[in-house]
Amino acid sequence: MTKPRILTGDRPTGPLHIGHYVGSLRNRVALQHEYETYVLLADVQALTDNFEHPQKVRDNVLEVALDYLAVGLDPRAATFVIQSQVPEIAELTVFYLNLVTVSHLRQNPTVKTEIAQKGFGEAVPAGFFVYPVSQAADITAFGANLVPVGDDQLPMIEQTREIVRRFNHLYAPVLVEPKALVGETARLPGLDGRAKMSKSLGNAIFLSDSADEVARKVRGMYTDPNHLRVEDPGTVEGNPVFAYLDAFDPDKAGVQTLKDHYRRGGLGDVRVKRHLLEVLEATLAPIRGRRAEFARDRVGVEAIVRDGTERGREVAAGTMRAVRGAMRLDYFARVPDPMPTA
Ligand code: ATP
Ligand code: MG
């Protein structure tokens, strides 16, 4: 019996943060033995808005791989693949671009938000504008059934499903239509109270931050700006301190008690933050420890990524053969041997 497949990935634009952990990494670790798992180090996608900083992207590939190992992705179960080393993905992207319209791409809500955030205006690089299409290529190249993501990625999965349906209908039913799996915390807010913690927004707690750094960040976190004195009633909604407790504190009843107390007044930010720090450290300390261990063997980590990329490329090449056949592009393909010898 073959296992169903997972494809997920991250842009190597910086080390991974606790939003990645609750949005996607936690699910990947939980499912890695049940699914054949491919994890893409999406350097080509990172370049779409970092093309002037290739060294930054290059350096972060290994950092993100270290984060994977640190959270417990097991390279014997999960295959780590460097996107740029699988040219089949770029090839698929070119063919898929015919199946979407510019006006449809313009409506993608996540890309719209990101274009605004990055201040591109009309000068948005074409590569960035079409990244949902290249993401469809990532997912389908590996024949993924399931894609564990944060909720900002839902429009990308929907776009992928549309492309797959279009392709299979027009040419031949060779592509797998994937489903999204959103983590228990669909979107973790930033330290600054903004809707999304993001590597690019400078509002993140990184999995690789030291204990001191985490403490400093938690102390400086945005809370309810009207909660000036301890006795004042405070607001829980939109308060990232409570969003983080919801995501990380296993004691749900305890979190509810804290929220009630905060709303009534009499619970100071300093005390809640002290509790939050303990809760975060319970998750982060072991991750930090494992990361430090793996970081001592960079050559070993590079080997894991190299082997994974080779295996990933074989899978993508298989998809590409089917796609070329479906699109009548298999000019020089060998006629398959009717009596396979293996
Ligand atoms: P960048 O700012 O460079 O886009 P990012 O922080 O958005 O970085 P990505 O590499 O784009 O990270 O996203 C990787 C995965 O992590 C995606 O599935 C995304 O949905 C998920 N993710 C990212 N940020 C969050 C968050 N704050 N909460 C939940 N999931 C998240
Ligand atoms: Mg992102």
Side-chain angles (χ1 to χ4, degrees):
M1 261 262 307
T2 55
K3 291 182 188 174
R5 288 187 186 159
I6 276 181
L7 179 281
T8 53
D10 304 277
R11 295 153 34 93
T13 50
L16 299 186
H17 54 65
I18 61 173
H20 296 116
Y21 187 72
V22 290
S24 170
L25 292 171
R26 212 155 49 176
N27 270 337
R28 298 182 204 177
V29 174
L31 296 173
Q32 61 182 333
H33 297 292
E34 222 174 293
Y35 286 76
E36 195 176 309
T37 298
Y38 297 89
V39 189
L40 202 63
L41 294 148
D43 58 344
V44 176
Q45 193 186 118
L47 285 168
T48 61
D49 56 335
N50 286 274
F51 54 86
E52 287 164 321
H53 309 289
Q55 190 62 44
K56 168 181 147 186
V57 172
R58 170 76 183 243
D59 292 343
N60 277 307
V61 166
L62 210 63
E63 292 304 313
V64 172
L66 277 171
D67 287 330
Y68 290 161
L69 294 166
V71 297
L73 280 175
D74 176 351
R76 285 164 303 187
T79 304
F80 304 168
V81 182
I82 301 181
Q83 188 183 27
S84 62
Q85 305 308 300
V86 183
E88 286 81 1
I89 294 173
E91 216 177 333
L92 285 174
T93 304
V94 170
F95 298 137
Y96 294 172
L97 280 169
N98 299 328
L99 308 182
V100 297
T101 63
V102 170
S103 74
H104 191 66
L105 285 172
R106 226 180 246 132
Q107 287 158 20
N108 185 302
T110 301
V111 176
K112 257 195 208 169
T113 309
E114 290 176 348
I115 288 174
Q117 260 168 13
K118 294 173 200 293
F120 284 139
E122 280 300 301
V124 53
F128 185 83
F129 183 66
V130 303
Y131 91 72
V133 179
S134 79
Q135 215 163 302
D138 299 338
I139 295 166
T140 54
F142 293 92
N145 308 88
L146 196 68
V147 190
V149 284
D151 76 349
D152 64 304
Q153 293 303 307
L154 290 178
M156 313 311 172
I157 311 303
E158 199 40 51
Q159 176 68 85
T160 303
R161 291 165 59 85
E162 285 167 28
I163 289 174
V164 167
R165 289 196 291 262
R166 194 97 207 275
F167 185 101
N168 286 349
H169 177 75
L170 278 173
Y171 304 125
V174 297
L175 299 179
V176 179
E177 191 172 330
K179 283 200 177 65
L181 175 71
V182 176
E184 220 177 291
T185 306
R187 188 178 304 199
L188 197 74
L191 289 166
D192 52 3
R194 280 204 270 183
K196 183 175 173 290
M197 175 175 290
S198 160
K199 293 181 224 109
S200 309
L201 296 175
N203 61 1
I205 295 178
F206 295 109
L207 298 175
S208 48
D209 279 343
S210 68
D212 285 347
E213 186 70 0
V214 176
R216 192 186 62 74
K217 287 181 176 176
V218 168
R219 273 199 303 275
M221 264 178 87
Y222 175 92
T223 60
D224 171 4
N226 299 316
H227 186 238
L228 298 174
R229 288 165 308 176
V230 173
E231 351 30 297
D232 292 340
T235 307
V236 165
E237 288 67 35
N239 188 330
V241 174
F242 288 98
Y244 293 7
L245 286 176
D246 281 334
F248 285 94
D249 195 339
D251 177 10
K252 302 291 170 214
V255 174
Q256 193 51 52
T257 308
L258 281 176
K259 285 181 180 173
D260 293 342
H261 193 175
Y262 195 79
R263 287 198 180 101
R264 271 198 318 273
L267 177 59
D269 284 335
V270 174
R271 240 175 87 198
V272 198
K273 284 180 171 179
R274 206 178 298 140
H275 175 65
L276 173 62
L277 186 58
E278 264 172 41
V279 165
L280 286 178
E281 276 302 310
T283 298
L284 293 177
I287 292 177
R288 200 180 288 129
R290 276 196 300 270
R291 201 180 197 283
E293 259 171 53
F294 283 111
R296 276 197 284 277
D297 180 18
R298 293 216 161 228
V299 176
V301 178
E302 274 166 17
I304 288 170
V305 175
R306 190 177 52 237
D307 292 350
T309 301
E310 269 170 31
R311 273 182 284 145
R313 182 145 191 219
E314 280 169 29
V315 176
T319 303
M320 203 59 232
R321 276 192 293 276
V323 163
R324 283 203 202 95
M327 294 186 74
R328 309 291 181 268
L329 297 169
D330 51 346
Y331 299 99
F332 308 121
R334 257 186 342 117
V335 179
D337 190 339
M339 295 281 284
T341 41

